[in-house]
Amino acid sequence: MTRVICVIGGKGGVGKTTITSNLASALADFGQKVIAVDTNLTTPNLGLHFGVHLAPFTLHDILKGKSKLKDSIYIHPNGVNVLPASMSIDDLEGVDVSRLHEITFSLKGKYDFILLDGAAGLGREAVSGIMAADEILIVTNPDLPSVADALKTIKLAERLGKKIIGVVVNRIRGKDYELTKEEVEEMTGYPVIAMIPEDKNVSKAIFSKTPVVNYSPNSPAALEIKKLACSLLGIPFVERRVPRGFLLFEKLIRWALRK
């Protein structure tokens, strides 16, 4: 059975796209067939994370009836299928965001996981992403504004009858002024199922257009995202360190491909 999960959080900049791209990649590493869909139609970034930001056909084209679904799906070298949105402001005209549920319905049965990268805020895009999903994964940072906005998203998802899997606290720096896991759980009313540390490798991975779980699989953020994937799959996490020599070889290949 296909699980359709919207990764969302309310506030912009908390790392929803980073979690979406890397969670999709981690699930693929565990043998799952996964597609990541950018449902943020006004400020999309999922394509950047996977290196398909200049795709000839996108979700915008599908929603306009200018492209077929199969022509707008791209396969990343790590095995994740990606349905990017257009980064051109001109493509916003004539897009009916309420049709997102038609896309997920068409994809059901073809994948084990459909991950929707949700838009920030509580506008039509965010609401449509939530409505197109069956489950909701909340992403927040360990600060009051982020958690307050996450709580608004939670209340909206509850009103729409969606199952909330839990909360991912992202970009943890280990400072005294940050909210603790227990405080986030108390404020949101849901369990924190992942604690992702601030990690310089994430920025490096984005620059390389490769998710950090593939770019630097032994890094702190990558390991925690793999744990999150195992949690969704209901399997124990067993840390498997990737040999440094293999990582250097992979980076050399990526460097050559960029030339």
Side-chain angles (χ1 to χ4, degrees):
M1 184 180 70
T2 302
R3 295 181 66 177
V4 186
I5 302 173
C6 182
V7 181
I8 199 163
K11 191 176 186 297
V14 295
K16 297 181 294 296
T17 303
T18 297
I19 297 300
T20 302
S21 60
N22 282 280
L23 179 57
S25 302
L27 288 168
D29 284 345
F30 286 115
Q32 301 298 298
K33 190 171 184 182
V34 187
I35 184 167
V37 183
D38 198 338
T39 65
N40 186 346
L41 299 178
T42 51
T43 55
N45 284 308
L46 187 65
L48 284 170
H49 287 238
F50 284 108
V52 289
H53 50 290
L54 297 177
F57 299 107
T58 66
L59 179 60
H60 286 76
D61 296 306
I62 298 172
L63 294 175
K64 290 181 180 182
K66 293 183 177 181
S67 170
K68 294 181 179 179
L69 182 57
K70 64 181 180 65
D71 296 326
S72 301
I73 296 174
Y74 306 87
I75 302 177
H76 190 269
N78 66 13
V80 174
N81 287 253
V82 184
L83 177 49
S86 173
M87 299 187 70
S88 173
I89 193 170
D90 295 330
D91 285 333
L92 291 174
E93 186 177 352
V95 171
D96 184 1
V97 68
S98 66
R99 291 184 54 217
L100 282 175
H101 71 281
E102 298 176 18
I103 306 298
T104 55
F105 182 79
S106 299
L107 294 171
K108 280 187 175 182
K110 300 176 182 177
Y111 298 91
D112 299 307
F113 284 87
I114 301 172
L115 299 186
L116 308 180
D117 183 18
L122 297 175
R124 286 189 64 202
E125 289 175 73
V127 173
S128 295
I130 293 173
M131 293 183 66
D134 299 320
E135 302 174 81
I136 306 299
L137 183 63
I138 300 293
V139 179
T140 186
N141 294 152
D143 59 72
L144 285 171
S146 299
V147 176
D149 284 350
L151 182 57
K152 294 175 186 176
T153 305
I154 287 171
K155 296 302 181 184
L156 174 60
E158 288 176 339
R159 290 180 184 179
L160 293 173
K162 302 298 178 177
K163 176 184 177 182
I164 298 175
I165 302 171
V167 180
V168 173
V169 182
N170 191 36
R171 306 194 70 174
I172 300 170
R173 296 176 174 85
K175 302 297 183 180
D176 292 339
Y177 52 76
E178 292 180 331
L179 296 174
T180 65
K181 174 184 177 181
E182 291 73 22
E183 289 171 331
V184 173
E185 289 180 332
E186 183 178 357
M187 291 178 68
T188 62
Y190 285 91
V192 170
I193 60 174
M195 303 277 286
I196 315 296
E198 180 73 15
D199 188 342
K200 63 182 180 181
N201 291 289
V202 172
S203 296
K204 293 179 179 179
I206 293 171
F207 177 76
S208 296
K209 305 180 184 67
T210 302
V212 73
V213 297
N214 304 122
Y215 177 84
S216 183
N218 299 332
S219 64
L223 292 175
E224 292 305 315
I225 292 171
K226 290 177 185 179
K227 290 180 185 179
L228 173 60
C230 287
S231 174
L232 293 182
L233 293 171
I235 60 175
F237 172 73
V238 178
E239 184 175 337
R240 294 188 293 270
R241 289 275 171 175
V242 180
R244 179 172 174 80
F246 182 77
L247 293 177
L248 292 174
F249 176 73
E250 271 202 338
K251 289 182 179 180
L252 178 62
I253 294 297
R254 285 196 295 267
W255 175 83
L257 289 174
R258 289 204 304 269
K259 295 299 178 181

